[in-house]
Amino acid sequence: MTERRQVVVIGSGPAGLTAAIYTARAQLEPVVIEGEPSSTSDQPGGQLMLTTEVENFPGFPTGVTGPELMSQMREQALRFGADLVTAKVTKVDFSASPFAIYVGSDEPTYLADSVIVATGARSLMLGVPGEERLLGYGLSTCATCDGFFFRGHEIAVVGGGDSALEEAIFLTRFASKVHLLVRRDSLRASKIMQERALANEKIEVHWNTGVLEVLGESKVERLAIVDTVTGAEAVLEVTGIFVAIGHVPNTDLFKGQLGLHDNGYIEVGVGSRTTVDGVFACGDVQDHVYRQAITSAGSGCMAAIDAERWLEGQGH
Ligand code: NDP
């Protein structure tokens, strides 16, 4: 059966849940389609579910774990009457209003007067043994989030783009040494970042180096690495590894429906407006620059206010 809603939020990371809290408090009775627990890219709670301690979210002076923070945001959204549905959106049709949202079936599950897209992004991963098991236990995809835990440690950063170099430079504030593992004999990053990284005494670049396996019982203890030219294998003693080989926004659903930048992120104009009137985007799905829980939550608030005003303007 198709249900008519004023607001449908797709995604339940900090952006989606903040949008839900605001639209619920504005009496718009939002439904949030949270994603599915079995999937890394669509899991309820988003990327914070893959982190351990979060120490930079204001209001938690002694830190909070990613899952706990998301659980509290979820509870807050429920308290104000948001409906949370654990399911995955399989198709959207934004060609006409009300917008059709499909959750598995051939008929639209929801017809929405406005939609808030908050499907986030996912880090590209190496796909090597030990990586998934030790994610959050010495293996991280966010230096800003986790760098602080590696004070005085020797760690590795994988990648040769701007992200990897930015992470490596940032991590030299904490780590005693940063091994930058680059799979080729040159960097992809911008010249200025290359100069900065190569001039940093705490960064040692390992050219032509790939990662074979992340090793450790319950946390990262060392890496099995390989020379990509000679095939020679070696072990690198590090207690942390940051994978910085790029991100991809979760925008497959919106291809042909919303304007996307060349890098796949959703185009937003004023505030959170997308190229379709009545569809708003917030969080990492439209932001490849900041990618923080707090900026994501802030943009979720913006999308909720934009949706509310837009609905009001349409006489809803
Ligand atoms: P990029 O795609 O630019 O770089 C990815 C890097 O990871 C490349 O060096 C690539 O190697 C390497 N890589 C990819 N897959 C693997 C793998 N399986 N194993 C080992 N290494 C791998 O991604 P970024 O996230 O760095 O940047 C994305 C965009 O964002 C870029 O346009 C960048 O300029 C921009 N950006 C800008 C910043 C700034 O201006 N401050 C900061 C961060 C990002 P290879 O070169 O061999 O393909």
Side-chain angles (χ1 to χ4, degrees):
M1 219 176 67
T2 303
E3 212 181 308
R4 181 77 182 250
R5 288 285 183 149
Q6 290 192 84
V7 181
V8 170
V9 180
I10 308 177
S12 61
L17 289 179
T18 303
I21 292 165
Y22 273 76
T23 49
R25 292 190 79 252
Q27 314 280 331
L28 294 171
E29 299 171 345
V31 61
V32 180
I33 307 172
E34 296 190 285
E36 273 177 346
S38 56
S39 141
T40 337
S41 61
D42 301 305
Q43 66 170 323
Q47 294 178 85
L48 276 186
M49 300 304 281
L50 305 174
T51 65
T52 46
E53 205 64 16
V54 178
E55 290 187 331
N56 54 8
F57 200 91
F60 295 89
T62 55
V64 57
T65 67
E68 175 61 20
L69 180 60
M70 294 325 296
S71 154
Q72 294 202 23
M73 285 192 196
R74 199 171 181 276
E75 203 178 301
Q76 200 173 350
L78 286 168
R79 184 180 148 218
F80 293 112
D83 287 327
L84 270 59
V85 178
T86 308
K88 190 176 161 160
V89 173
T90 45
K91 190 174 117 182
V92 296
D93 184 353
F94 293 160
S95 60
S97 177
F99 308 113
I101 292 163
Y102 298 77
V103 181
S105 57
D106 293 338
E107 291 298 308
T109 313
Y110 298 101
L111 284 178
D113 297 315
S114 70
V115 177
I116 296 177
V117 176
T119 47
R122 58 189 187 277
S123 295
L124 289 172
M125 300 305 285
L126 297 166
V128 298
E131 181 181 47
E132 208 176 308
R133 183 172 56 84
L134 294 169
L135 183 61
Y137 300 92
L139 189 142
S140 169
T141 53
C142 175
T144 322
C145 319
D146 299 326
F148 195 68
F149 303 114
F150 294 91
R151 268 169 301 171
H153 290 228
E154 213 163 298
I155 59 175
V157 172
V158 186
D162 281 322
S163 295
L165 268 51
E166 198 171 79
E167 303 269 87
I169 293 165
F170 178 76
L171 287 164
T172 59
R173 293 187 200 179
F174 313 102
S176 56
K177 182 167 187 177
V178 176
H179 298 269
L180 182 67
L181 311 184
V182 182
R183 67 178 175 183
R184 293 186 292 125
D185 61 358
S186 63
L187 297 166
R188 183 184 288 274
S190 55
K191 276 278 169 284
I192 183 158
M193 291 298 281
Q194 295 199 23
E195 278 167 18
R196 260 184 231 160
L198 295 172
N200 192 311
E201 285 175 359
K202 277 191 172 179
I203 298 177
E204 182 183 341
V205 183
H206 299 249
W207 302 106
N208 301 318
T209 300
V211 176
L212 290 177
E213 187 171 355
V214 186
L215 301 160
E217 279 288 315
S218 55
K219 55 185 173 43
V220 172
E221 288 164 15
R222 63 192 76 84
L223 296 179
I225 55 173
V226 62
D227 185 312
T228 52
V229 176
T230 65
E233 296 184 13
V235 168
L236 187 65
E237 299 285 341
V238 287
T239 51
I241 168 170
F242 287 80
V243 179
I245 59 173
H247 285 84
V248 272
N250 298 318
T251 46
D252 286 351
L253 270 180
F254 310 111
K255 284 180 184 156
Q257 301 282 335
L258 294 177
L260 304 179
H261 291 290
D262 289 346
N263 60 7
Y265 286 77
I266 294 179
E267 264 179 54
V268 290
V270 179
S272 62
R273 286 168 181 258
T274 67
T275 49
V276 174
D277 246 9
V279 178
F280 305 88
C282 52
D284 286 10
V285 75
Q286 51 83 54
D287 166 27
H288 68 96
V289 179
Y290 301 105
R291 297 196 303 242
Q292 300 298 302
I294 186 69
T295 50
S296 183
S299 73
C301 160
M302 288 162 62
I305 292 173
D306 289 344
E308 187 187 344
R309 290 185 182 156
W310 186 82
L311 286 166
E312 218 170 77
Q314 302 294 305
H316 287 283

Short mmCIF file of all heavy atoms in Angstrom, two decimals, residues 124-127 158-166 181-184 186-190 193 209-211 244-247 263 288-289 291, ligand 1:
data_model
loop_
_atom_site.label_atom_id
_atom_site.label_comp_id
_atom_site.label_asym_id
_atom_site.label_seq_id
_atom_site.Cartn_x
_atom_site.Cartn_y
_atom_site.Cartn_z
N LEU A 124 36.48 4.22 0.38
CA LEU A 124 36.97 3.07 -0.39
C LEU A 124 37.90 2.30 0.53
O LEU A 124 38.66 2.90 1.31
CB LEU A 124 37.72 3.56 -1.62
CG LEU A 124 36.86 4.17 -2.72
CD1 LEU A 124 37.75 4.79 -3.79
CD2 LEU A 124 35.95 3.12 -3.33
N MET A 125 37.85 1.00 0.46
CA MET A 125 38.69 0.18 1.34
C MET A 125 39.65 -0.64 0.50
O MET A 125 39.47 -0.81 -0.70
CB MET A 125 37.81 -0.72 2.22
CG MET A 125 36.83 0.02 3.12
SD MET A 125 37.57 1.26 4.23
CE MET A 125 38.34 0.24 5.47
N LEU A 126 40.68 -1.17 1.16
CA LEU A 126 41.72 -1.91 0.44
C LEU A 126 41.26 -3.30 0.02
O LEU A 126 41.74 -3.84 -0.98
CB LEU A 126 42.96 -2.06 1.33
CG LEU A 126 43.64 -0.75 1.73
CD1 LEU A 126 44.62 -0.99 2.88
CD2 LEU A 126 44.36 -0.16 0.52
N GLY A 127 40.38 -3.88 0.84
CA GLY A 127 39.92 -5.24 0.54
C GLY A 127 40.96 -6.30 0.84
O GLY A 127 41.02 -7.32 0.14
N VAL A 158 47.74 4.95 4.01
CA VAL A 158 47.78 4.36 2.67
C VAL A 158 47.11 5.31 1.68
O VAL A 158 45.99 5.78 1.92
CB VAL A 158 47.03 3.01 2.62
CG1 VAL A 158 47.21 2.36 1.25
CG2 VAL A 158 47.50 2.09 3.73
N GLY A 159 47.78 5.59 0.56
CA GLY A 159 47.21 6.45 -0.48
C GLY A 159 48.20 7.50 -0.92
O GLY A 159 49.17 7.80 -0.19
N GLY A 160 47.96 8.06 -2.10
CA GLY A 160 48.88 9.07 -2.61
C GLY A 160 48.16 10.29 -3.13
O GLY A 160 48.73 11.12 -3.83
N GLY A 161 46.87 10.43 -2.76
CA GLY A 161 46.08 11.59 -3.19
C GLY A 161 46.11 12.68 -2.13
O GLY A 161 46.79 12.56 -1.11
N ASP A 162 45.34 13.74 -2.36
CA ASP A 162 45.29 14.85 -1.41
C ASP A 162 44.80 14.39 -0.04
O ASP A 162 45.29 14.85 0.99
CB ASP A 162 44.37 15.97 -1.94
CG ASP A 162 45.08 16.83 -2.97
OD1 ASP A 162 46.28 17.09 -2.79
OD2 ASP A 162 44.44 17.22 -3.96
N SER A 163 43.82 13.48 -0.03
CA SER A 163 43.30 13.01 1.26
C SER A 163 44.40 12.35 2.07
O SER A 163 44.58 12.65 3.25
CB SER A 163 42.19 11.97 1.07
OG SER A 163 41.09 12.53 0.46
N ALA A 164 45.14 11.45 1.43
CA ALA A 164 46.18 10.71 2.16
C ALA A 164 47.24 11.67 2.69
O ALA A 164 47.68 11.54 3.84
CB ALA A 164 46.81 9.68 1.24
N LEU A 165 47.62 12.64 1.88
CA LEU A 165 48.67 13.56 2.32
C LEU A 165 48.17 14.48 3.43
O LEU A 165 48.89 14.76 4.38
CB LEU A 165 49.19 14.37 1.12
CG LEU A 165 50.40 13.72 0.45
CD1 LEU A 165 50.21 12.27 0.11
CD2 LEU A 165 50.84 14.49 -0.78
N GLU A 166 46.92 14.90 3.29
CA GLU A 166 46.34 15.73 4.34
C GLU A 166 46.28 14.96 5.65
O GLU A 166 46.64 15.48 6.71
CB GLU A 166 44.94 16.16 3.90
CG GLU A 166 44.41 17.33 4.66
CD GLU A 166 43.11 17.84 4.03
OE1 GLU A 166 42.05 17.22 4.27
OE2 GLU A 166 43.16 18.82 3.30
N LEU A 181 52.30 4.94 2.56
CA LEU A 181 52.44 3.81 1.64
C LEU A 181 51.77 4.15 0.31
O LEU A 181 50.55 4.32 0.23
CB LEU A 181 51.81 2.54 2.24
CG LEU A 181 52.23 2.21 3.70
CD1 LEU A 181 51.62 0.89 4.14
CD2 LEU A 181 53.74 2.18 3.84
N VAL A 182 52.61 4.29 -0.72
CA VAL A 182 52.13 4.72 -2.05
C VAL A 182 52.33 3.57 -3.04
O VAL A 182 53.45 3.05 -3.16
CB VAL A 182 52.91 5.97 -2.51
CG1 VAL A 182 52.40 6.45 -3.87
CG2 VAL A 182 52.84 7.07 -1.47
N ARG A 183 51.28 3.18 -3.72
CA ARG A 183 51.39 1.96 -4.54
C ARG A 183 52.19 2.15 -5.83
O ARG A 183 52.59 1.19 -6.46
CB ARG A 183 50.00 1.40 -4.85
CG ARG A 183 49.15 2.26 -5.75
CD ARG A 183 47.83 1.57 -6.03
NE ARG A 183 46.94 2.43 -6.79
CZ ARG A 183 45.71 2.09 -7.12
NH1 ARG A 183 45.22 0.92 -6.75
NH2 ARG A 183 44.96 2.91 -7.80
N ARG A 184 52.39 3.41 -6.24
CA ARG A 184 53.18 3.67 -7.46
C ARG A 184 54.45 4.42 -7.07
O ARG A 184 54.74 4.58 -5.88
CB ARG A 184 52.37 4.53 -8.43
CG ARG A 184 51.18 3.83 -9.00
CD ARG A 184 50.50 4.67 -10.07
NE ARG A 184 49.86 5.88 -9.56
CZ ARG A 184 50.09 7.10 -9.99
NH1 ARG A 184 50.99 7.31 -10.93
NH2 ARG A 184 49.43 8.14 -9.50
N SER A 186 54.84 7.59 -7.82
CA SER A 186 54.55 9.03 -7.77
C SER A 186 53.22 9.25 -7.06
O SER A 186 52.43 8.31 -6.88
CB SER A 186 54.51 9.62 -9.17
OG SER A 186 53.45 9.03 -9.89
N LEU A 187 53.02 10.52 -6.68
CA LEU A 187 51.82 10.87 -5.94
C LEU A 187 50.78 11.47 -6.89
O LEU A 187 51.13 12.11 -7.88
CB LEU A 187 52.16 11.90 -4.86
CG LEU A 187 53.13 11.40 -3.77
CD1 LEU A 187 53.66 12.60 -2.97
CD2 LEU A 187 52.43 10.42 -2.84
N ARG A 188 49.52 11.29 -6.54
CA ARG A 188 48.45 11.89 -7.33
C ARG A 188 48.08 13.28 -6.78
O ARG A 188 47.44 14.07 -7.46
CB ARG A 188 47.22 10.96 -7.23
CG ARG A 188 46.03 11.39 -8.06
CD ARG A 188 44.87 10.46 -7.79
NE ARG A 188 45.08 9.15 -8.37
CZ ARG A 188 44.77 8.83 -9.63
NH1 ARG A 188 44.25 9.73 -10.42
NH2 ARG A 188 44.98 7.63 -10.09
N ALA A 189 48.50 13.54 -5.56
CA ALA A 189 48.08 14.77 -4.87
C ALA A 189 48.59 16.03 -5.55
O ALA A 189 49.53 15.98 -6.36
CB ALA A 189 48.60 14.72 -3.43
N SER A 190 47.98 17.17 -5.20
CA SER A 190 48.39 18.46 -5.75
C SER A 190 49.84 18.76 -5.34
O SER A 190 50.32 18.29 -4.31
CB SER A 190 47.46 19.55 -5.22
OG SER A 190 47.44 19.51 -3.82
N MET A 193 50.55 20.08 -1.77
CA MET A 193 50.44 19.07 -0.72
C MET A 193 51.64 18.13 -0.78
O MET A 193 52.17 17.71 0.26
CB MET A 193 49.15 18.25 -0.89
CG MET A 193 47.89 19.02 -0.62
SD MET A 193 47.81 19.60 1.08
CE MET A 193 47.32 18.10 1.90
N THR A 209 54.61 0.62 -2.85
CA THR A 209 54.32 -0.26 -1.71
C THR A 209 52.83 -0.53 -1.58
O THR A 209 52.03 0.42 -1.51
CB THR A 209 54.87 0.36 -0.41
OG1 THR A 209 56.28 0.53 -0.57
CG2 THR A 209 54.60 -0.53 0.80
N GLY A 210 52.47 -1.79 -1.55
CA GLY A 210 51.08 -2.18 -1.37
C GLY A 210 50.91 -2.87 -0.02
O GLY A 210 51.89 -3.31 0.60
N VAL A 211 49.67 -2.94 0.44
CA VAL A 211 49.39 -3.63 1.70
C VAL A 211 48.80 -5.00 1.37
O VAL A 211 47.87 -5.11 0.57
CB VAL A 211 48.38 -2.83 2.55
CG1 VAL A 211 48.02 -3.58 3.83
CG2 VAL A 211 48.94 -1.46 2.88
N ALA A 244 43.29 5.97 3.21
CA ALA A 244 42.83 7.25 2.63
C ALA A 244 42.94 7.17 1.11
O ALA A 244 43.68 7.91 0.49
CB ALA A 244 43.66 8.39 3.19
N ILE A 245 42.19 6.23 0.55
CA ILE A 245 42.31 6.01 -0.90
C ILE A 245 41.08 6.53 -1.64
O ILE A 245 40.86 6.20 -2.80
CB ILE A 245 42.59 4.52 -1.23
CG1 ILE A 245 41.48 3.62 -0.70
CG2 ILE A 245 43.94 4.10 -0.67
CD1 ILE A 245 41.62 2.17 -1.14
N GLY A 246 40.31 7.37 -0.96
CA GLY A 246 39.16 8.02 -1.61
C GLY A 246 37.83 7.63 -0.98
O GLY A 246 37.75 6.69 -0.18
N HIS A 247 36.83 8.42 -1.29
CA HIS A 247 35.47 8.17 -0.82
C HIS A 247 34.54 8.11 -2.03
O HIS A 247 34.84 8.71 -3.05
CB HIS A 247 34.97 9.32 0.06
CG HIS A 247 35.57 9.31 1.42
ND1 HIS A 247 36.79 9.88 1.68
CD2 HIS A 247 35.12 8.81 2.59
CE1 HIS A 247 37.07 9.72 2.95
NE2 HIS A 247 36.08 9.07 3.54
N ASN A 263 32.26 14.24 -9.61
CA ASN A 263 32.76 13.26 -8.64
C ASN A 263 31.63 12.46 -7.99
O ASN A 263 31.86 11.70 -7.04
CB ASN A 263 33.62 13.95 -7.57
CG ASN A 263 32.86 15.01 -6.79
OD1 ASN A 263 31.64 15.15 -6.95
ND2 ASN A 263 33.55 15.75 -5.95
N HIS A 288 32.10 16.74 0.02
CA HIS A 288 33.32 15.93 0.00
C HIS A 288 34.46 16.67 0.68
O HIS A 288 35.60 16.23 0.65
CB HIS A 288 33.69 15.54 -1.43
CG HIS A 288 34.12 16.70 -2.27
ND1 HIS A 288 35.44 17.02 -2.45
CD2 HIS A 288 33.41 17.63 -2.92
CE1 HIS A 288 35.50 18.11 -3.21
NE2 HIS A 288 34.29 18.49 -3.50
N VAL A 289 34.16 17.81 1.30
CA VAL A 289 35.22 18.62 1.88
C VAL A 289 35.35 18.41 3.39
O VAL A 289 36.42 18.06 3.89
CB VAL A 289 34.98 20.12 1.58
CG1 VAL A 289 36.08 20.98 2.21
CG2 VAL A 289 34.93 20.35 0.08
N ARG A 291 33.09 16.52 5.79
CA ARG A 291 32.86 15.11 6.18
C ARG A 291 32.96 14.84 7.67
O ARG A 291 33.54 13.83 8.08
CB ARG A 291 33.85 14.20 5.44
CG ARG A 291 33.70 14.23 3.94
CD ARG A 291 34.39 13.08 3.29
NE ARG A 291 35.78 13.00 3.59
CZ ARG A 291 36.76 13.08 2.69
NH1 ARG A 291 36.46 13.26 1.43
NH2 ARG A 291 38.00 12.98 3.05
P1 NDP B 1 42.16 10.36 -5.10
O1 NDP B 1 41.33 9.51 -5.98
O2 NDP B 1 42.64 11.67 -5.58
O3 NDP B 1 43.47 9.54 -4.66
C1 NDP B 1 43.38 8.23 -4.25
C2 NDP B 1 44.79 7.73 -3.95
O4 NDP B 1 44.68 6.44 -3.38
C3 NDP B 1 45.66 7.63 -5.18
O5 NDP B 1 47.00 7.91 -4.83
C4 NDP B 1 45.50 6.16 -5.54
O6 NDP B 1 46.64 5.61 -6.22
C5 NDP B 1 45.43 5.53 -4.17
N1 NDP B 1 44.74 4.25 -4.20
C6 NDP B 1 43.52 3.97 -4.75
N2 NDP B 1 43.21 2.68 -4.54
C7 NDP B 1 44.25 2.14 -3.86
C8 NDP B 1 44.52 0.86 -3.36
N3 NDP B 1 43.65 -0.14 -3.50
N4 NDP B 1 45.69 0.64 -2.71
C9 NDP B 1 46.57 1.65 -2.55
N5 NDP B 1 46.38 2.91 -2.99
C10 NDP B 1 45.22 3.14 -3.65
O7 NDP B 1 41.30 10.47 -3.74
P2 NDP B 1 41.39 11.55 -2.56
O8 NDP B 1 40.40 11.12 -1.54
O9 NDP B 1 42.78 11.74 -2.13
O10 NDP B 1 40.87 12.89 -3.23
C11 NDP B 1 39.57 12.96 -3.84
C12 NDP B 1 39.35 14.37 -4.38
O11 NDP B 1 39.23 15.29 -3.30
C13 NDP B 1 40.53 14.84 -5.23
O12 NDP B 1 40.05 15.63 -6.27
C14 NDP B 1 41.35 15.68 -4.27
O13 NDP B 1 42.12 16.67 -4.92
C15 NDP B 1 40.22 16.31 -3.41
N6 NDP B 1 40.76 16.62 -2.08
C16 NDP B 1 41.23 17.87 -1.87
C17 NDP B 1 41.76 18.22 -0.65
C18 NDP B 1 42.28 19.59 -0.47
O14 NDP B 1 42.32 20.33 -1.43
N7 NDP B 1 42.69 19.96 0.72
C19 NDP B 1 41.82 17.27 0.49
C20 NDP B 1 41.31 15.96 0.16
C21 NDP B 1 40.81 15.67 -1.09
P3 NDP B 1 46.85 5.88 -7.77
O15 NDP B 1 47.38 7.28 -7.88
O16 NDP B 1 47.88 4.84 -8.13
O17 NDP B 1 45.55 5.68 -8.45
#
